[in-house]
Amino acid sequence: MMTLLSWIAGFLLMSITAAQDLKHFPQNVVLAKINENSVTLTCGAPTAGPVTWKLNDEDVDYFEDHFEKKGKNLIVKEVDTPLLGEYSCWRGKAKLSSVYLLQGTEEGEDIDSLLTCHAKSYDCNFSCSWTNSRYAVVRLGIGPECSKGQRSCQWVSSSGQLGNEGFQFELYHNLSPFAEESSMLEVTAEAINNHFLLRKTKLFYLRDIVVPDSPQIVSSEVVGQQLSVNIKPPSSWSTPYSFFSLQHEIEYVLRDDGRTERSLSSLIPKRISKLRVRCRDPLVLSPWSQWTPWKNVRNSCRCKKNPSCLPGAWNTVRRKWRKEQKMLSEVKAFENEG
């Protein structure tokens, strides 16, 4: 039996080693549920004869009051913070296997405030952002296998960090973009902070997270007293465009009085100084995309032959004028020769 002083010293040492935070998800994990009194750990390698166990490289024999050995198994009694960490089993000086003992927790914010997801289209990929920087390690998985913590879950690691504010993930699903969406996506997040594991699941329809990228302003053309704006869907949007239609909204500034107005039609007043465009899925009334940058519309009220003042229209006018001048020169040259 250990003396009280050695027990306290060992307890402090275990607390220090267990407080070391993980920087990646361990390959083998045993999760102690909340209020679970004991957990059994198994040496994962076949071996003959007795084995010894270590917690964070410290021999557990020094703390026998907290453990019980049964063959190659180690029973951790009264799971608590000082007893969390990496357990390894040894045969002499050979390390046979290791497993991390983590404690489950239900603490934390609501999953909707921790994890946000969005898709640029109805294609097979979407992205999610974990916004809480308190957790050092986070991973995501799709499907019921992940929400239940099963080994068959295909976990996805972070594709990058959002500065010091969280993690970014790229995920893939097998939903058909042409079929009516009847089942929800089930995204589970696991996050570790000081050997405590938080598991949260988020349910949503793909259509509810679709936000298209900004569209492209291709050209404009004067039609009578109006300006017809040609708008192209973003390159990231699903095809064919005839099936995955988009609704566009144009915001423009009137040249005469500086008022700003909006239109869901591609025909707008021609006497404007600038315009910009955004889009959305009209079938599910998705959120609007970001606006395109403002595009200046030059000299729309001064040009008499072609009032359109977008650069493409002016280039067309210049080419036509040069062609006519060339033809006139050739006619005069022919007359002079005659």
Side-chain angles (χ1 to χ4, degrees):
M1 184 66 64
M2 300 171 59
T3 65
L4 178 61
L5 183 61
S6 61
W7 186 91
I8 294 175
F11 190 88
L12 291 175
L13 178 61
M14 293 169 65
S15 299
I16 294 173
T17 56
Q20 296 173 354
D21 205 358
L22 290 170
K23 299 301 180 183
H24 60 85
F25 257 93
Q27 184 176 2
N28 299 313
V29 172
V30 171
L31 182 63
K33 298 179 181 179
I34 299 174
N35 299 324
E36 190 170 9
N37 292 329
S38 65
V39 171
T40 300
L41 306 178
T42 301
C43 186
T47 182
V51 298
T52 58
W53 283 89
K54 294 182 180 182
L55 168 58
N56 300 324
D57 295 327
E58 295 295 329
D59 199 323
V60 300
D61 289 339
Y62 293 116
F63 319 110
E64 58 184 14
D65 290 348
H66 301 284
F67 303 100
E68 179 183 349
K69 291 182 181 180
K70 283 192 175 181
K72 294 194 303 179
N73 296 341
L74 179 70
I75 300 175
V76 183
K77 299 184 288 186
E78 299 181 1
V79 176
D80 202 355
T81 303
L83 303 180
L84 302 177
E86 182 186 17
Y87 285 82
S88 55
C89 65
W90 298 72
R91 175 72 169 165
K93 295 184 177 181
K95 184 177 181 180
L96 302 178
S97 68
S98 66
V99 62
Y100 273 83
L101 177 61
L102 304 178
Q103 177 83 60
T105 178
E106 294 181 351
E107 296 180 0
E109 306 168 49
D110 181 75
I111 184 62
D112 290 331
S113 63
L114 293 170
L115 186 68
T116 58
C117 299
H118 75 276
K120 296 180 179 181
S121 69
Y122 291 97
D123 295 343
C124 61
N125 61 304
F126 64 98
S127 61
C128 293
S129 300
W130 178 271
T131 56
N132 192 318
S133 60
R134 188 162 57 93
Y135 295 88
V137 186
V138 182
R139 65 182 181 181
L140 303 184
I142 299 179
E145 300 90 351
C146 302
S147 62
K148 297 174 183 177
Q150 297 177 355
R151 288 185 175 272
S152 57
C153 173
Q154 300 294 317
W155 293 105
V156 177
S157 300
S158 169
S159 59
Q161 282 193 277
L162 300 173
N164 295 322
E165 299 179 356
F167 301 90
Q168 183 76 23
F169 298 86
E170 295 296 328
L171 302 172
Y172 295 86
H173 63 82
N174 57 6
L175 301 176
S176 170
F178 299 99
E180 183 177 356
E181 192 177 7
S182 58
S183 58
M184 304 180 81
L185 287 169
E186 190 172 342
V187 177
T188 298
E190 285 192 346
I192 297 177
N193 179 33
N194 291 328
H195 295 96
F196 284 86
L197 186 142
L198 175 70
R199 180 184 294 152
K200 295 273 189 176
T201 298
K202 184 183 182 78
L203 297 171
F204 55 86
Y205 289 105
L206 178 64
R207 61 176 177 263
D208 292 335
I209 66 168
V210 170
V211 182
D213 282 335
S214 301
Q216 305 173 58
I217 302 175
V218 178
S219 62
S220 67
E221 180 183 3
V222 172
V223 179
Q225 296 302 311
Q226 293 181 304
L227 190 67
S228 176
V229 183
N230 183 13
I231 305 169
K232 183 179 179 181
S235 59
S236 58
W237 188 242
S238 303
T239 57
Y241 298 147
S242 58
F243 186 86
F244 299 99
S245 60
L246 282 174
Q247 180 183 41
H248 299 102
E249 184 176 46
I250 304 174
E251 187 173 62
Y252 54 89
V253 177
L254 295 170
R255 183 176 294 277
D256 292 339
D257 55 15
R259 284 188 297 113
T260 299
E261 296 186 355
R262 294 180 180 179
S263 172
L264 295 176
S265 170
S266 61
L267 291 174
I268 60 175
K270 69 178 182 181
R271 296 171 65 86
I272 63 172
S273 60
K274 59 182 178 179
L275 60 85
R276 62 179 182 175
V277 183
R278 64 180 181 176
C279 63
R280 70 174 178 180
D281 183 347
L283 297 181
V284 298
L285 294 180
S286 71
W288 287 101
S289 72
Q290 294 292 317
W291 289 102
T292 63
W294 283 104
K295 187 164 188 176
N296 292 326
V297 181
R298 302 174 184 174
N299 301 325
S300 62
C301 59
R302 298 175 184 173
C303 178
K304 295 180 180 179
K305 292 184 178 180
N306 191 338
S308 174
C309 39
L310 291 178
W314 263 114
N315 290 335
T316 301
V317 172
R318 290 191 183 100
R319 286 195 297 268
K320 184 176 180 181
W321 180 82
R322 289 170 182 165
K323 185 176 181 180
E324 291 175 349
Q325 293 299 312
K326 182 178 180 181
M327 291 177 63
L328 288 174
S329 298
E330 291 176 351
V331 170
K332 289 182 178 179
F334 178 78
E335 290 176 348
N336 293 334
E337 290 177 0

